[in-house]
Amino acid sequence: MSANLPASPITGTHNVTVFDTINVSDIVRLYREQEQIDVSRFFIGVDQVSILECGDTGYRFYNPFTLVGDESFYQELATAKHSIGLEYDRDWSEDHEFALQTIIENERVLEVGCNTGKFLERVREKTKHVTGLEFNSEAAAVARVKELDVRNLDIAILAENEPESFDAICAFQVLEHIPNAGDFLQACLKALKPGGKLIFSVPNNEPYFQRFSKYEVLNLPPHHMGLWNLMAFEKLECYFHLKLEKFAFAGRSGLAADTYVRTRNMAGLTGTSGGYYNIENLWLLLFLPLALMKSTLDWIKGKVNNAHLSVVFRKC
């Protein structure tokens, strides 16, 4: 640990070490290649991004904190996704269903980062008491057309104005975007009724997305600021008034995908597969047998890739 490193955003202690680093030039290049977005403005004066680890919890986070994306970045990202036939606003998925089954009829439900309100539309079939928070003004406007109560408001302000008001607070693929994750958790707890539920879904990082994808572009700043795994969630019980009730993994990859991602990692390749040169393809072929052997052994042991992790906490 080092006094020059920031305190853990979860525990506030300086039990923090450098887990890994990544060059800014790689981050900027990957966003240009894969998302057609220029993110260089977020890295002015920064040549290298550190991945720090909280020794108390195992939570990993990017440093410096100033790299976090703004509203214009997310509008650009949504536009870029739409241009290639994809939607940044996800349709119904396994983590949504996991949360919906946890919500009880007529509970008061808050979704943080609700986008256009697709999840809240379904929740409204169980309870009329639904509220959403969304900073993307364009997405929030779409949600309001659906007659949803969606506010352009920070969770900390909502918690001040409406303490202990919600039975369930959900956040899907949101927690990993927040640099000051501990403050976010405290605000959620303040807005939650005693005995209420916190439901989170995040990319599963063991230690990176799909275990090996250090250069998964949308798992990097300015999009993501934190790398969560099950151990980090389990450790939250020691620092917050929370009890982990259940968890579920989703998005299990097959053996072929596991082997491919591992091979790319072993070969040190960071670009898109379509952009590899002959020498890079040669490196892939050289590492493929070893990667296949390791992935096969992991599968025999039951250690497989899971893209996402969902958890349910109960406020103590």
Side-chain angles (χ1 to χ4, degrees):
M1 71 186 70
S2 170
N4 295 324
L5 299 178
S8 164
I10 302 297
T11 65
T13 74
H14 283 276
N15 185 11
V16 172
T17 55
V18 177
F19 180 81
D20 206 342
T21 58
I22 185 165
N23 291 328
V24 165
S25 59
D26 286 329
I27 297 175
V28 172
R29 174 178 55 81
L30 288 169
Y31 271 99
R32 283 175 176 158
E33 288 179 353
Q34 298 183 29
E35 304 300 330
Q36 294 78 54
I37 296 176
D38 182 4
V39 298
S40 58
R41 70 182 188 275
F42 293 99
F43 300 94
I44 295 173
V46 180
D47 296 322
Q48 193 174 69
V49 173
S50 299
I51 304 173
L52 306 183
E53 182 173 76
C54 168
D56 302 316
T57 63
Y59 170 68
R60 291 184 298 280
F61 55 100
Y62 294 105
N63 186 60
F65 287 174
T66 54
L67 306 177
V68 64
D70 54 19
E71 181 177 352
S72 63
F73 166 76
Y74 285 102
Q75 289 176 350
E76 289 177 38
L77 184 60
T79 300
K81 287 293 184 186
H82 184 70
S83 70
I84 57 174
L86 298 174
E87 291 295 338
Y88 181 69
D89 184 18
R90 297 185 309 142
D91 288 317
W92 197 257
S93 59
E94 291 174 88
D95 52 353
H96 292 138
E97 188 62 34
F98 174 81
L100 185 64
Q101 296 305 317
T102 304
I103 293 169
I104 299 172
E105 187 175 353
N106 292 324
E107 284 189 321
R108 191 175 182 200
V109 178
L110 172 69
E111 183 185 2
V112 182
C114 68
N115 213 303
T116 63
K118 291 180 178 179
F119 174 71
L120 291 179
E121 285 185 276
R122 288 286 299 274
V123 175
R124 195 164 50 181
E125 298 172 8
K126 270 191 171 183
T127 174
K128 296 179 181 179
H129 311 296
V130 298
T131 303
L133 301 182
E134 177 56 53
F135 282 134
N136 185 327
S137 55
E138 293 179 0
V142 173
R144 294 188 192 108
V145 170
K146 303 172 184 177
E147 298 184 348
L148 291 167
D149 176 17
V150 174
R151 311 172 192 178
N152 188 274
L153 197 64
D154 190 280
I155 179 62
I157 297 174
L158 181 73
E160 287 291 335
N161 296 335
E162 301 182 44
E164 298 188 350
S165 297
F166 297 93
D167 299 287
I169 297 178
C170 307
F172 304 101
Q173 314 301 313
V174 168
L175 196 55
E176 66 273 14
H177 296 263
I178 299 170
N180 297 308
D183 293 342
F184 176 81
L185 289 168
Q186 291 288 14
C188 287
L189 283 170
K190 187 171 184 176
L192 199 64
K193 294 178 181 178
K197 300 179 288 281
L198 276 183
I199 307 169
F200 295 130
S201 175
V202 297
N204 180 41
N205 290 283
E206 294 289 352
Y208 305 109
F209 184 66
Q210 287 192 307
R211 292 193 291 158
F212 314 112
S213 296
K214 173 181 176 179
Y215 295 99
E216 183 73 23
V217 64
L218 292 183
N219 211 25
L220 296 170
H223 191 234
H224 287 178
M225 292 300 296
L227 303 172
W228 289 91
N229 56 35
L230 181 57
M231 182 182 74
F233 278 125
E234 291 173 334
K235 293 289 187 179
L236 292 184
E237 294 183 343
C238 301
Y239 301 94
F240 299 87
H241 296 297
L242 291 169
K243 178 68 177 177
L244 181 61
E245 286 202 333
K246 62 179 179 177
F247 63 88
F249 291 101
R252 176 172 171 168
S253 299
L255 177 60
D258 187 284
T259 303
Y260 171 68
V261 176
R262 189 193 291 264
T263 304
R264 285 185 60 195
N265 179 68
M266 294 174 69
L269 301 182
T270 63
T272 57
S273 57
Y276 292 153
Y277 297 101
N278 289 336
I279 187 64
E280 293 172 324
N281 286 322
L282 177 61
W283 277 109
L284 284 173
L285 290 173
L286 287 172
F287 283 104
L288 178 60
L290 180 59
L292 178 59
M293 181 184 70
K294 287 178 174 290
S295 292
T296 302
L297 288 173
D298 277 353
W299 270 69
I300 292 172
K301 297 175 183 177
K303 185 178 181 180
V304 298
N305 278 334
N306 290 283
H308 298 100
L309 168 64
S310 296
V311 294
V312 177
F313 288 99
R314 182 77 63 173
K315 180 179 177 180
C316 300

